[in-house]
Amino acid sequence: MAILAIFFVSSCQQNSLLHPKVALVVPLSGVLAPLGNACVKGAKLGLDQNERFSLVISDNQGNPKKTKEIFSQLAKDPEIVAVIGPLKCACFKAVLPIIKKYHLPTISLGCFHNFGRETKGYALSLLTEREEIKVLAQFLNEKNLEWALLYGNEPWEEYFSDQLLSLVRNPPFFQKKLLNIDISSFIPILKKAQILVLFFPPQTAKLIILQMQNAEFKGWILGRYYLFDNKFKFSIKNSNQVWIPIPQFPSKKQLFFKRDFLKTYCHLPHWLSTCGYAAVETLKKIDKLNRKEIKKHFYHHLSLHFEIWPLEKNEIHSS
């Protein structure tokens, strides 16, 4: 039966469908709901006056098991030509076998790891970790200031540190792999840095930032894009001191997008709104809306890139 289902979906996808649908799978309940709603706002704005496809929205609650259940249903629906989401890497990893098995183009919104090899190219990413590292290195090279580097012992933390060090012109005057979050013994050294780069999960980064701010550190703190949610932002003393890479369109397009978003929702967009909008806009530019053609042409139409902005400038709105 599984083979028949795959054959049925594939045969129906050979040509453009009369009524194609794109699924948006994001958390709309639970603690991640504000982030999911930000994606929905951007996607709906991108869909405005579009007649090429309709949007089917599902709440995965930020839960990998729930995400698998939703994807199992979507993958077998021949009218579903692509999925936008989910946000969390854990949720995205949970559905990689489904993406691969059913040739389901799936556009990652909040996880920029490249899963193309595991899915025969059907896991699509708006941006990549490599691009994120490059823009961090560019920021350091342009500022040309004394900087320090702290990172953890997880594989991704070591990978980001190694890749960053390979791209910067001047090495940090101090770098250390942390095995615990107590940095009191070398805070006097870190205070000499004009830029402090951190590669940690958000909760660990928050505790380190608080220690530095309590010690009256005056420099910039540079971290990864996911230091974005309001709980993180409002738990530190000065979010304008923390800078992160966030997805942006080219300047003129970003200006028009912000204007339209502000006019529609009465507040400026969070970067996840930008990603939701970009995913829909990219799909609209593909001539034949079927799974095979979306995989083939998706990267031809992308226009996002990372820019470094202060955390203060990137709020999330629950309304």
Side-chain angles (χ1 to χ4, degrees):
M1 290 297 293
I3 295 174
L4 286 174
I6 296 170
F7 175 77
F8 175 69
V9 171
S10 299
S11 62
C12 290
Q13 289 282 338
Q14 292 303 311
N15 300 305
S16 297
L17 299 170
L18 291 176
H19 304 289
K21 299 175 183 177
V22 172
L24 177 63
V25 181
V26 290
L28 299 175
S29 57
V31 295
L32 296 178
L35 303 180
N37 284 320
C39 298
V40 171
K41 288 179 179 180
K44 284 186 173 179
L45 185 63
L47 202 66
D48 188 35
Q49 297 180 341
N50 169 69
E51 297 179 354
R52 298 200 61 210
F53 59 84
S54 57
L55 198 64
V56 179
I57 302 174
S58 297
D59 176 16
N60 72 339
Q61 303 167 9
N63 182 288
K65 183 178 179 180
K66 181 68 174 176
T67 307
K68 285 181 70 174
E69 294 172 358
I70 293 171
F71 266 71
S72 294
Q73 295 176 351
L74 294 172
K76 297 171 187 175
D77 184 346
E79 291 189 334
I80 298 292
V81 295
V83 179
I84 301 172
L87 296 185
K88 292 170 58 179
C89 282
C91 293
F92 205 87
K93 289 177 182 177
V95 296
L96 292 179
I98 299 173
I99 295 171
K100 178 180 178 180
K101 180 178 180 180
Y102 289 94
H103 296 174
L104 181 62
T106 304
I107 305 166
S108 171
L109 287 175
C111 179
F112 298 138
H113 185 77
N114 184 0
F115 293 112
R117 183 174 297 179
E118 295 94 325
T119 59
K120 296 182 179 178
Y122 281 93
L124 307 168
S125 182
L126 293 169
L127 288 163
T128 67
E129 291 176 343
R130 182 67 177 172
E131 291 172 288
E132 185 184 1
I133 295 168
K134 285 176 68 175
V135 78
L136 291 169
Q138 182 181 357
F139 182 88
L140 291 169
N141 287 334
E142 289 177 352
K143 296 299 180 184
N144 196 29
L145 300 172
E146 290 288 315
W147 68 287
L149 170 64
L150 299 179
Y151 59 97
N153 60 356
E154 292 293 325
W156 75 262
E157 296 164 326
E158 295 182 354
Y159 168 78
F160 265 74
S161 300
D162 290 343
Q163 292 299 308
L164 181 67
L165 291 171
S166 72
L167 294 174
V168 292
R169 286 196 296 267
N170 299 317
F173 76 89
F174 179 83
Q175 67 181 80
K176 188 172 183 62
K177 180 196 292 187
L178 295 186
L179 301 179
N180 61 70
I181 60 172
D182 181 9
I183 61 171
S184 57
S185 61
F186 42 91
I187 280 181
I189 299 174
L190 293 174
K191 286 182 68 176
K192 297 176 182 178
Q194 293 166 292
I195 302 175
L196 174 59
V197 179
L198 303 177
F199 290 138
F200 298 99
Q203 184 65 20
T204 305
K206 179 186 76 173
L207 295 173
I208 292 172
I209 290 170
L210 286 173
Q211 291 179 75
M212 292 301 298
Q213 291 183 333
N214 287 337
E216 299 184 346
F217 176 68
K218 302 300 183 183
W220 281 307
I221 296 171
L222 201 58
R224 290 197 63 197
Y225 71 90
Y226 56 63
L227 303 182
F228 52 66
D229 61 82
N230 276 11
K231 287 186 178 180
F232 176 89
K233 175 181 172 182
F234 295 132
S235 66
I236 58 179
K237 293 181 179 179
N238 179 12
S239 61
N240 201 44
Q241 191 177 16
V242 181
W243 289 58
I244 60 172
I246 60 171
Q248 299 273 284
F249 292 111
S251 56
K252 188 174 182 179
K253 184 176 178 63
Q254 184 69 23
L255 185 65
F256 285 124
F257 167 63
K258 282 186 174 181
R259 181 201 64 189
D260 292 344
F261 195 96
L262 182 62
K263 182 179 178 181
T264 303
Y265 298 113
C266 300
H267 64 80
L268 290 172
H270 184 268
W271 69 262
L272 283 168
S273 300
T274 307
C275 288
Y277 184 91
V280 168
E281 279 282 286
T282 302
L283 291 172
K284 284 162 60 176
K285 294 175 182 177
I286 298 173
D287 291 334
K288 295 181 180 179
L289 282 175
N290 62 58
R291 295 182 184 183
K292 183 178 179 181
E293 291 297 306
I294 289 172
K295 172 202 169 186
K296 183 178 179 181
H297 295 289
F298 180 80
Y299 289 113
H300 299 168
H301 301 287
L302 277 180
S303 59
L304 281 184
H305 64 278
F306 279 116
E307 289 183 10
I308 304 289
W309 284 84
L311 191 64
E312 185 69 30
K313 301 292 185 182
N314 202 48
E315 295 190 11
I316 189 79
H317 294 259
S318 57
S319 60

